[in-house]
């Protein structure tokens, strides 16, 4: 009877050890899988942030260019207004010089 009890205990212990080893390997595999998924997500978020930063810089650059073009256009308007005034003055002066309407 003692040898049967010892054999049963030994068998039970080896089954418990095997179960523990199997459970540990499953927990390790899950942890490794979870870590790799977290790393992949972190890499994706980091990559998206870099892309977002570049796009933000592009938008800022385009806004600066638009402001510059707007200022250039305002400068052109002012110069064109002066040119129109010059033409009007020149036509009036020409009409007075010839005694008739400006051509």
């Amino acid at each position: 009877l003692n040898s049967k009890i010892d054999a049963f205990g030994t068998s039970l212990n080896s089954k418990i050890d095997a179960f523990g080893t199997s459970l540990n390997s499953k927990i390790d595999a899950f942890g490794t899988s979870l870590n790799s998924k977290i790393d992949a997500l972190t890499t994706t978020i980091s990559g998206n942030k870099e892309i977002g930063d570049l796009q933000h810089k592009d938008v800022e650059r385009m806004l600066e260019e638009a402001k510059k073009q707007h200022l250039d256009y305002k400068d052109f308007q002012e110069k064109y207004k002066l040119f129109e005034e010059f033409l009007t003055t020149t036509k009036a002066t020409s009409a007075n010089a010839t005694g008739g309407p400006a051509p």
Side-chain angles (χ1 to χ4, degrees):
L1 185 58
N2 280 342
S3 65
K4 287 184 179 177
I5 291 173
D6 287 344
F8 175 75
T10 302
S11 173
L12 186 59
N13 281 341
S14 66
K15 287 180 181 174
I16 290 172
D17 288 346
F19 175 76
T21 301
S22 173
L23 185 59
N24 281 341
S25 66
K26 288 179 181 173
I27 289 171
D28 289 346
F30 174 76
T32 302
S33 173
L34 186 59
N35 281 341
S36 65
K37 288 178 181 173
I38 290 171
D39 288 347
L41 181 61
T42 302
T43 301
T44 301
I45 289 171
S46 178
N48 288 343
K49 182 183 179 318
E50 287 176 22
I51 291 169
D53 288 347
L54 289 174
Q55 289 174 340
H56 181 74
K57 287 178 184 172
D58 283 346
V59 169
E60 283 181 339
R61 183 187 47 77
M62 287 188 284
L63 283 172
E64 286 300 317
E65 184 62 28
K67 286 179 190 175
K68 182 184 175 302
Q69 288 178 0
H70 179 72
L71 291 175
D72 287 349
Y73 179 70
K74 287 189 73 116
D75 185 51
F76 167 77
Q77 281 182 320
E78 290 173 14
K79 287 179 181 172
Y80 187 75
K81 187 177 176 183
L82 291 173
F83 177 68
E84 282 183 323
E85 289 173 5
F86 169 75
L87 285 179
T88 303
T89 304
T90 304
K91 284 181 182 179
T93 304
S94 177
N96 287 339
T98 61

